[in-house]
Amino acid sequence: IIAKAAVLSDFQVQSLFFPSSDRVWGAVKIDKSRILSKDVGMSDIAVVLETRLNIKHLSQGFKDNSIVIFNSPEKLSFPWLKKRRIKVYALDATAISTGILKKHLPSVPAAGAVAKYFNKITLKSMKSAAEHVSKEAVPVVEEGYKAVR
């Protein structure tokens, strides 16, 4: 949804997925000009859908003053994030997706949360991208936008 919304917002997009033995993580690179490198680079924003995993390795990829949105009912605090002045937000994406869609798809409400704090992609673009996936996804994106804190 995030990649599609970026395309709808006139960005060049590259979606990258990195499976490993204990986790799968992905990245969406966006830029107004053509993206040539497959290097992920430094992140402006990150969404962590599985908070039980060791995520300290992610800190190397954040710019100072980046944003991290955790799939969690309460705001999480990590000293290594505070040290880098990384803004932390919480969104119970699992509860939202299972409550509305009756499916475990935390990435759908997370797209709404990204729209709230990442000013390059609007909520309107996220909702339009979600509609390409399923009309049922649109209110889930909206709820993610409203519920992130």
Side-chain angles (χ1 to χ4, degrees):
I1 293 173
I2 295 168
K4 177 70 174 175
V7 169
L8 294 172
S9 299
D10 295 323
F11 284 97
Q12 298 292 309
V13 176
Q14 188 178 69
S15 294
L16 305 164
F17 293 92
F18 306 94
S20 68
S21 61
D22 64 339
R23 66 186 169 274
V24 174
W25 72 277
V28 176
K29 293 174 66 171
I30 70 167
D31 202 315
K32 285 293 184 182
S33 58
R34 190 168 174 219
I35 301 170
L36 301 174
S37 170
K38 290 188 179 183
D39 178 35
V40 175
M42 301 294 277
S43 298
D44 293 310
I45 188 166
V47 178
V48 179
L49 298 176
E50 181 52 70
T51 57
R52 293 177 295 171
L53 299 174
N54 180 359
I55 55 170
K56 190 168 183 176
H57 68 281
L58 293 177
S59 70
Q60 304 306 314
F62 295 139
K63 296 176 183 175
D64 285 348
N65 298 310
S66 294
I67 295 169
V68 180
I69 300 168
F70 287 102
N71 177 17
S72 173
E74 69 249 0
K75 200 170 193 176
L76 302 176
S77 179
F78 298 97
W80 50 272
L81 290 175
K82 281 185 180 181
K83 185 177 176 182
R84 302 273 312 280
R85 298 183 318 274
I86 295 171
K87 298 170 203 84
V88 176
Y89 298 96
L91 172 71
D92 197 348
T94 297
I96 293 168
S97 68
T98 56
I100 298 173
L101 294 174
K102 309 297 185 230
K103 296 177 185 173
H104 179 73
L105 295 170
S107 60
V108 178
V114 168
K116 188 167 190 173
Y117 294 110
F118 188 62
N119 63 5
K120 294 180 181 181
I121 302 175
T122 65
L123 178 60
K124 180 180 177 182
S125 293
M126 286 291 191
K127 288 169 36 176
S128 181
E131 193 169 23
H132 282 83
V133 174
S134 164
K135 289 193 186 300
E136 295 172 333
V138 175
V140 181
V141 169
E142 290 174 331
E143 186 59 28
Y145 184 90
K146 292 182 217 167
V148 66
R149 60 192 185 313

